[in-house]
């Protein structure tokens, strides 16, 4: 049976037709004894890869056989999730894609996954006897062993071609160039997991599948990806504070007004009064935070504001402005003001800049080779980083963005057909292929947490410093909303200042921790996008690197984005994204998390 399988693999390298019998021993033996055929099959082995440089742009050249450096924190998805790291893909030339099947096709052998090339290189004597029985000359087996052992198990590029995409990222007090490359294994596992699952499934179609690689060719040019489209954008993105406050404190305040009339022992009355006062103090503390009350105000002013609040509640309206209640509140408010902790770090050193209603048209909907839908958050980070650098360069100011929050108001995903590539060849325009394209249009608002500076830029200046593109889409700032480009002293006030009241805040999903790709498909509220890059090698000097920066290949890291509204109790560390620069990765996450390593936007 093993010999017949060898014959089938050999025959599959021929052009398939109705007349071809893939089980023919006569046909396969003539191939196995052919020096020219063996050389072509051997040459194909050199183009096995762990990460596909040609996906989705087949014009790239080169081979990568690398593994991700280190490990990632919980909640981030990379090829380290994959069950089998030994399975390699193939891509080089569509004319040679069949020849790779003989030596590179994977199969189960003695309980493990392998291929003929690996078994020959490892010197498996039993399999070499089977090859000899199938028709391969022993001298050719020896030659194949020697040639295959010369192929390095790890390989990278030291010369970068012009087609390779490069992005700049902060690294070791400077910058490095990174080229994101998809993992063949993770892409394959996602495709297989989505074959029987349609809720999260999207499709990327390739007209020249064989040029892209064996995965696209094996799927007839239809590679399954996660489709990540946000929902509930018609709902309010922020809630009124009164809808999210418990009535326990108001009930306790009502009981305090009746305490002297209750038939209780002195000890029980004292115990209950202490408990009720604590409930009221907790309510006042929450009220101060939710309504962003200025705690520096005197107690009488605070009580006056609290009476206004009481008059608007169902339980408290009977207590508002009552002299006895007001005297009691004066005592409690004085204690609340003295106990309240005003953090100088958060309120003294930072401001919140509102950039509302920015329209993006024609942005790429491919945040990675694994997802189609909302754009890459790393691309959005790059937009804001360019905005920060524009201000620093043109104003010579110390403008520095600590972190950012973003609210998505509108989103449309479009399949606008195939885009023709055009290149100049010998003074003649040719169209060598068509590429799959998915675009999206959306409206987004930012709230930037900015270190305080002496100079506050005017709205017209802020608009002029915005980059022209975001995720390859055109940026359109709304000039008629200049008055909404504001500097605020709290996040909730910044949220209230956004003119567009519908949408959803995109925040890190702190509870996201599936174990593998299969369990990932079971997550109901799945909104995956690129939230970082994991290095495949240490950045080094390479020919062709942008601005002569150290360069490294990296694979996209996926994370789940949670959609939520922002209440008055919104905490910065739950809504704001911040980039962590780790020795092995660049990750977007929340402020104060365990993987935070650098203060950079």
């Amino acid at each position: 049976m093993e010999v017949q399988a060898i014959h089938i693999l050999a025959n599959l390298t021929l052009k398939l037709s109705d007349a071809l019998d893939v089980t023919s021993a006569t046909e396969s033996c003539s191939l196995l004894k052919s020096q020219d055929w063996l050389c072509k099959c051997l040459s194909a082995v050199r183009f096995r890869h762990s990460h596909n440089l040609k996906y989705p742009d087949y014009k790239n050249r080169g081979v990568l056989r690398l593994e991700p450096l280190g490990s990632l924190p919980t909640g981030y998805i990379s090829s380290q999730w994959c069950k089998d790291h030994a399975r390699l893909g193939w891509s080089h030339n569509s004319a040679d894609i069949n020849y790779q099947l003989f030596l590179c096709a994977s199969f189960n052998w003695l309980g493990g996954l392998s291929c003929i090339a690996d078994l020959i290189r490892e010197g498996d004597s039993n399999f070499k006897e089977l090859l000899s029985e199938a028709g391969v000359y022993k001298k050719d087996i020896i030659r194949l062993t020697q040639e295959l052992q010369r192929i390095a198990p790890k390989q990278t590029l030291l010369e970068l071609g012009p087609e390779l995409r490069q992005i700049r990222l902060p690294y070791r007090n400077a910058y490095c160039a990174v080229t994101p490359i998809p993992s063949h294994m993770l892409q394959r596992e996602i495709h297989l997991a989505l074959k029987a699952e349609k809720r999260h499934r999207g499709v990327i179609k390739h007209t020249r599948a064989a040029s892209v690689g064996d995965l696209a060719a094996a799927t007839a040019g239809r590679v399954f990806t996660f489709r990540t489209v946000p929902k509930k954008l018609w709902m309010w993105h922020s809630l009124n504070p009164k809808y999210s406050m418990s009535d326990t404190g108001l009930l306790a305040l009502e009981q305090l007004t009746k305490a002297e009339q209750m038939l209780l022992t002195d000890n029980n009355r004292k115990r209950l009064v202490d408990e009720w006062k604590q409930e009221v103090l907790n309510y006042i503390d929450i009220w101060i935070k939710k309504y962003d009350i200025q705690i520096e105000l005197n107690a009488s002013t605070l009580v006056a504001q609290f009476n206004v609040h009481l008059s608007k509640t169902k339980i408290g309206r009977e207590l508002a402005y009552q002299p006895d209640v007001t005297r009691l509140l004066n005592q409690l408010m004085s204690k609340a003001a003295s106990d309240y902790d005003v953090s100088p770090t958060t309120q003294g050193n930072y401001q919140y800049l509102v950039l509302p209603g920015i329209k993006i048209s024609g942005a790429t909907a491919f945040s990675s080779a694994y997802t189609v839908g909302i754009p890459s958050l790393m691309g959005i980070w790059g937009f804001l980083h360019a905005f920060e650098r524009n201000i620093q360069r043109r104003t010579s100011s110390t403008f520095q963005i600590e972190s950012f929050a973003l609210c998505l108001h509108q989103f449309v995903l479009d399949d606008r057909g195939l885009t023709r590539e055009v290149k100049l060849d010998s003074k003649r325009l040719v169209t060598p292929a068509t590429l799959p394209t998915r675009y999206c249009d959306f409206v987004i608002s930012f709230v930037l947490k900015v270190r305080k500076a002496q100079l506050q830029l005017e709205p017209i200046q802020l608009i002029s410093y915005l980059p022209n593109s975001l995720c390859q889409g055109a940026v359109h700032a709304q000039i008629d909303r200049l008055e909404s480009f504001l500097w605020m002293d709290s996040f909730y006030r910044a949220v209230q200042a956004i003119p567009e009241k519908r949408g959803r805040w995109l925040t890190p999903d702190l509870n996201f921790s599936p174990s593998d790709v299969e369990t990932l498909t079971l997550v109901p509220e799945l909104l995956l996008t690129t939230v970082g890059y994991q290095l495949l090698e240490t950045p080094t000097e390479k020919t062709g690197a942008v601005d002569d920066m150290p360069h490294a290949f990296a694979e996209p890291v996926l994370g789940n984005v949670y959609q939520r509204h922002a209440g008055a109790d919104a905490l910065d560390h739950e809504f704001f994204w911040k980039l962590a620069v780790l020795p092995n990765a660049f990750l977007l996450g929340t402020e104060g998390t365990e993987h935070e390593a650098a203060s950079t936007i």
Side-chain angles (χ1 to χ4, degrees):
M1 184 173 65
E2 290 86 352
V3 172
Q4 186 179 23
I6 293 172
H7 288 162
I8 291 173
L9 285 175
N11 287 330
L12 285 175
T13 62
L14 299 174
K15 184 177 181 179
L16 296 181
S17 64
D18 294 336
L20 177 63
D21 180 7
V22 295
T23 63
S24 171
T26 304
E27 187 73 34
S28 63
C29 283
S30 65
L31 295 174
L32 294 171
K33 296 181 184 299
S34 168
Q35 295 291 319
D36 181 60
W37 180 83
L38 282 174
C39 286
K40 290 182 178 180
C41 293
L42 179 61
S43 177
V45 179
R46 303 181 188 278
F47 299 98
R48 297 174 74 196
H49 60 237
S50 60
H51 296 76
N52 192 354
L53 274 169
K54 289 181 172 290
Y55 196 97
D57 192 347
Y58 73 91
K59 297 189 298 296
N60 291 325
R61 298 183 180 277
V63 178
L64 292 182
R65 286 190 293 274
L66 299 169
E67 294 182 2
L69 301 180
S71 59
L72 298 179
T74 304
Y76 292 95
I77 305 167
S78 73
S79 63
Q80 291 182 328
W81 264 25
C82 299
K83 301 172 184 177
D84 177 26
H85 295 278
R87 186 190 294 268
L88 298 178
W90 187 91
S91 65
H92 174 50
N93 187 333
S94 58
D96 298 331
I97 193 167
N98 284 357
Y99 290 106
Q100 59 91 21
L101 289 172
F102 178 64
L103 292 177
C104 302
S106 298
F107 52 83
N108 289 321
W109 175 256
L110 301 179
L113 187 71
S114 190
C115 65
I116 293 179
D118 290 340
L119 292 174
I120 294 176
R121 183 176 61 244
E122 294 165 3
D124 189 308
S125 56
N126 292 331
F127 195 83
K128 287 183 177 180
E129 290 180 5
L130 291 174
L131 284 175
S132 180
E133 184 180 345
V136 183
Y137 293 127
K138 290 186 177 180
K139 64 180 181 63
D140 288 333
I141 296 177
I142 295 173
R143 182 170 65 85
L144 286 173
T145 303
Q146 294 172 346
E147 292 294 331
L148 290 172
Q149 288 176 347
R150 293 193 184 102
I151 299 176
K154 290 188 175 183
Q155 185 170 336
T156 186
L157 294 184
L158 298 179
E159 295 186 7
L160 308 176
E163 303 291 346
L164 278 177
R165 177 189 174 203
Q166 298 184 49
I167 58 178
R168 300 172 178 85
L169 290 171
Y171 185 74
R172 294 181 179 176
N173 299 321
Y175 285 85
C176 70
V178 170
T179 297
I181 300 295
S183 162
H184 166 80
M185 195 62 240
L186 181 57
Q187 204 174 4
R188 178 183 178 275
E189 287 200 8
I190 289 175
H191 177 85
L192 294 176
L194 291 173
K195 285 185 72 174
E197 202 276 344
K198 297 182 179 179
R199 178 174 50 176
H200 300 309
R201 189 171 77 186
V203 181
I204 300 179
K205 300 177 182 178
H206 299 274
T207 55
R208 289 194 174 188
S211 299
V212 176
D214 62 332
L215 174 63
T219 62
R222 292 170 52 86
V223 180
F224 296 147
T225 66
F226 284 107
R227 186 176 186 271
T228 57
V229 177
K231 301 177 181 178
K232 301 180 180 178
L233 298 183
W234 51 269
M235 300 178 68
W236 297 94
H237 63 68
S238 60
L239 293 181
N240 191 304
K242 68 180 181 182
Y243 296 130
S244 56
M245 292 187 70
S246 171
D247 292 332
T248 306
L250 297 180
L251 293 173
L253 181 60
E254 187 178 33
Q255 292 295 92
L256 278 175
T257 63
K258 303 174 182 178
E260 294 299 328
Q261 304 170 14
M262 295 180 181
L263 295 175
L264 298 169
T265 63
D266 290 340
N267 288 338
N268 281 340
R269 180 180 288 108
K270 184 178 183 304
R271 178 179 59 81
L272 289 173
V273 166
D274 289 342
E275 290 179 1
W276 290 330
K277 283 184 177 180
Q278 189 58 49
E279 288 287 346
V280 176
L281 284 171
N282 290 340
Y283 187 91
I284 291 174
D285 182 62
I286 295 173
W287 169 74
I288 289 173
K289 293 177 180 177
K290 284 181 176 289
Y291 284 85
D292 197 24
I293 304 299
Q294 298 299 312
I295 197 62
E296 295 83 1
L297 300 174
N298 57 48
S300 60
T301 306
L302 289 173
V303 171
Q305 292 189 13
F306 192 71
N307 273 320
V308 174
H309 167 70
L310 287 178
S311 67
K312 296 179 180 179
T313 63
K314 184 177 181 180
I315 297 174
R317 67 181 59 170
E318 300 297 330
L319 304 174
Y321 304 108
Q322 294 292 331
D324 292 342
V325 176
T326 300
R327 280 193 295 271
L328 176 61
L329 288 174
N330 270 304
Q331 298 173 10
L332 296 175
M333 204 66 74
S334 298
K335 179 173 175 52
S338 61
D339 292 343
Y340 197 80
D341 178 27
V342 181
S343 171
T345 300
T346 56
Q347 295 196 8
N349 296 336
Y350 297 104
Q351 292 174 303
Y352 296 85
L353 174 60
V354 182
L355 303 179
I358 298 176
K359 295 183 178 180
I360 313 297
S361 60
T364 178
F366 294 123
S367 72
S368 69
Y370 320 122
T371 54
V372 173
I374 62 172
S376 164
L377 278 180
M378 285 299 293
I380 292 175
W381 171 89
F383 169 81
L384 294 175
H385 186 62
F387 174 62
E388 177 188 70
R389 286 174 60 86
N390 285 345
I391 293 177
Q392 291 174 348
R393 184 172 60 253
R394 297 180 189 178
T395 66
S396 300
S397 69
T398 57
F399 181 85
Q400 182 178 352
I401 302 174
E402 181 71 13
S403 53
F404 68 95
L406 64 152
C407 183
L408 186 62
H409 303 293
Q410 300 174 33
F411 182 86
V412 178
L413 176 64
D414 282 334
D415 185 355
R416 299 175 184 173
L418 297 172
T419 300
R420 290 186 134 194
E421 294 180 288
V422 178
K423 69 175 184 180
L424 192 62
D425 182 19
S426 301
K427 299 182 179 180
R428 181 172 57 93
L429 283 175
V430 296
T431 54
T434 55
L435 287 178
T437 51
R438 297 296 296 274
Y439 295 104
C440 58
D441 304 325
F442 56 97
V443 179
I444 195 168
S445 292
F446 293 103
V447 175
L448 309 182
K449 189 175 181 181
V450 181
R451 290 187 180 274
K452 274 191 174 179
Q454 294 180 352
L455 175 64
Q456 285 192 353
L457 300 173
E458 296 297 325
I460 192 65
Q461 293 177 290
L462 293 171
I463 284 185
S464 67
Y465 297 144
L466 287 173
N468 295 324
S469 65
L470 189 158
C471 295
Q472 302 178 29
V475 175
H476 309 279
Q478 301 185 55
I479 304 296
D480 58 342
R481 290 189 175 178
L482 274 178
E483 68 279 1
S484 300
F485 283 69
L486 300 171
W487 296 85
M488 311 300 290
D489 56 4
S490 76
F491 174 53
Y492 186 60
R493 287 188 177 181
V495 169
Q496 292 176 310
I498 297 175
E500 177 58 64
K501 300 303 179 184
R502 299 186 183 274
R504 270 292 181 263
W505 292 90
L506 304 184
T507 67
D509 189 348
L510 303 179
N511 299 317
F512 181 68
S513 56
S515 57
D516 52 34
V517 175
E518 284 76 13
T519 58
L520 190 62
T521 60
L522 304 177
V523 178
E525 298 295 330
L526 191 66
L527 195 63
L528 291 178
T529 188
T530 300
V531 296
Y533 300 107
Q534 185 174 10
L535 292 175
L536 301 174
E537 57 184 351
T538 302
T540 55
E541 302 294 332
K542 294 183 180 179
T543 303
V546 61
D547 295 337
D548 295 325
M549 295 178 181
H551 176 274
F553 289 100
E555 66 174 62
V557 174
L558 301 182
N560 195 36
V561 175
Y562 187 60
Q563 301 177 77
R564 60 184 296 186
H565 62 262
D569 56 347
L571 301 175
D572 286 11
H573 74 272
E574 295 178 350
F575 283 81
F576 280 77
W577 296 87
K578 186 174 183 178
L579 182 69
V581 181
L582 306 182
N584 67 317
F586 306 88
L587 300 178
L588 280 173
T590 59
E591 294 182 328
T593 51
E594 66 279 3
H595 57 267
E596 183 178 325
S599 176
T600 178
I601 177 65

